């Protein structure tokens, strides 16, 4: 399956592409936890996000993954979606963004979405970045 899949792909092909992209962006550990926690009630939602968020939108050729991460981090920070923001801050690092680039994104958020949204996003990013740093020797 190629990036920017045609409209005539099957749902199964879109789900397969979506799972590949989801794993590349979020990491196997995160996706394995999400899949393991799937219940009959949440299965349709997991299918929806895998096929459409990851298999359709994140697979499009129009933006790089780093650019998609910038858009996603911005939207989640503005909406104050703390848990999803932390996940996508990690994904942004996986997609090649630097801490300095994330800082710039969050400064932009603070100016356009307000200091409270920026403040919360910076606190969230600080926790994510601290967790990414190798532990100091004992």
């Amino acid at each position: 399956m190629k990036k920017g899949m045609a409209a005539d792909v099957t749902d199964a092909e879109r789900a397969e592409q979506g799972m590949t992209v989801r794993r590349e962006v979020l990491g196997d550990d995160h996706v394995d936890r999400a899949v393991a926690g799937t219940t009959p009630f949440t299965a349709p939602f997991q299918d929806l996000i895998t096929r459409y968020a990851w298999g359709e939108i994140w697979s499009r050729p129009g933006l790089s993954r780093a650019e998609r991460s910038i858009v996603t981090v911005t939207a989640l920070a503005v909406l104050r979606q703390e848990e999803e923001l932390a996940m996508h801050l990690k994904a942004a690092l996986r997609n090649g963004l630097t801490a300095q680039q994330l800082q710039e994104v969050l400064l932009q958020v603070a100016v356009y979405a307000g200091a409270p949204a920026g403040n919360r996003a910076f606190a969230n990013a600080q926790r994510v970045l601290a967790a990414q740093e190798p532990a100091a020797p004992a």
Side-chain angles (χ1 to χ4, degrees), residues 26-90:
L26 300 178
D28 287 332
D29 290 344
H30 173 83
V31 176
D32 289 345
R33 281 191 306 274
V35 170
T38 301
T39 67
F41 182 75
T42 63
F45 177 71
Q46 288 296 317
D47 178 60
L48 175 81
I49 61 173
T50 300
R51 282 187 296 122
Y52 290 102
W54 300 106
E56 185 69 33
I57 301 304
W58 276 85
S59 297
R60 293 178 60 82
L63 295 173
S64 69
R65 288 198 183 157
E67 291 166 328
R68 288 188 190 283
S69 282
I70 290 170
V71 172
T72 303
V73 164
T74 300
L76 293 171
V78 169
L79 294 171
R80 299 182 187 173
Q81 298 296 314
E82 305 290 320
E83 192 172 318
E84 291 284 318
L85 176 59
M87 177 180 68
H88 278 281
L89 286 163
K90 292 174 195 170

